[in-house]
Amino acid sequence: MASENAAWDTTDETTFINFLIEHASAASDGGNFKQTTFTATAAVVDLVQMKGCPKTTKACRNKWNMLRCIFCVIQEIQAKSGWSWGDKTGASITPDMEHAWADFIKIHKEAKPFKNKNWIHLHKMSLLMPATVKGTHSLSGMDITRDEVEEDTAEEDMAEEDTELPSTIDVMALHSGS
């Protein structure tokens, strides 16, 4: 049986991120959330979803991992000497920077849409992501691979304790009151 992929639009992503901000205390020091948080998040996003199949716990975890990757690549752009990040223009790549940009996106494919376009979720994601340290002996977000993120989240799921999050009914009541 073929399964339909979860479709995410800006409203879905914003609802997703807002819910995670409200439950930021459920995140580990590394910025990962437990399965129970993603299950509750899926119920909330489904309330505003306009297209695609219902969101699942797995779809929410995958979306979180992708948002984290985008956030980290934007941090790499911001840290790049001679480059800047603009709230309206993203990486603000000028014609004389094209060669360096081409080299950068070969390594950081997630950066491509942000050549001269901002990421609407940057500010809110900065509220969720752990602080990063720059220096000779520090790791950047791009030093962490997607496989390592998936391993970390799998280990957290195995060690997961029951965390009380609002039930779907509570979430619906909260949503209808806003």
Side-chain angles (χ1 to χ4, degrees):
M1 179 166 96
S3 66
E4 190 178 346
N5 288 331
W8 293 83
D9 63 18
T10 303
T11 301
D12 295 342
E13 290 175 346
T14 301
T15 301
F16 176 80
I17 293 167
N18 287 342
F19 185 85
L20 293 180
I21 289 170
E22 290 173 19
H23 295 88
S25 63
S28 67
D29 289 341
N32 287 319
F33 290 90
K34 295 180 180 181
Q35 182 172 341
T36 53
T37 304
F38 290 120
T39 301
T41 306
V44 172
V45 174
D46 281 344
L47 294 172
V48 299
Q49 167 183 315
M50 299 305 278
K51 62 180 181 177
C53 64
K55 306 300 188 273
T56 63
T57 301
K58 182 178 179 183
C60 289
R61 178 180 305 282
N62 290 343
K63 175 55 70 172
W64 175 242
N65 288 335
M66 180 50 73
L67 292 171
R68 288 174 58 194
C69 286
I70 292 169
F71 180 84
C72 290
V73 80
I74 290 172
Q75 283 190 317
E76 290 293 317
I77 292 169
Q78 291 171 328
K80 198 108 168 104
S81 180
W83 289 18
S84 63
W85 180 267
D87 285 339
K88 293 183 181 180
T89 58
S92 307
I93 301 301
T94 60
D96 60 319
M97 300 165 67
E98 286 289 340
H99 182 70
W101 178 252
D103 290 343
F104 185 80
I105 61 170
K106 284 179 188 172
I107 299 166
H108 307 290
K109 291 174 181 40
E110 294 88 357
K112 190 173 183 176
F114 309 109
K115 176 179 177 181
N116 287 304
K117 180 182 168 200
N118 188 27
W119 187 40
I120 192 170
H121 303 305
L122 182 59
H123 173 70
K124 287 186 177 187
M125 282 296 294
S126 68
L127 300 174
L128 288 167
M129 294 298 291
T132 56
V133 178
K134 298 286 182 190
T136 306
H137 301 289
S138 65
L139 295 175
S140 75
M142 295 315 295
D143 293 327
I144 301 169
T145 66
R146 285 189 184 153
D147 291 339
E148 290 171 320
V149 169
E150 289 171 6
E151 285 174 19
D152 287 347
T153 55
E155 288 172 9
E156 286 179 6
D157 285 347
M158 289 175 21
E160 182 176 316
E161 297 175 15
D162 289 334
T163 304
E164 192 169 323
L165 289 172
S167 68
T168 304
I169 295 168
D170 292 337
V171 168
M172 288 178 174
L174 286 172
H175 180 69
S176 65
S178 58

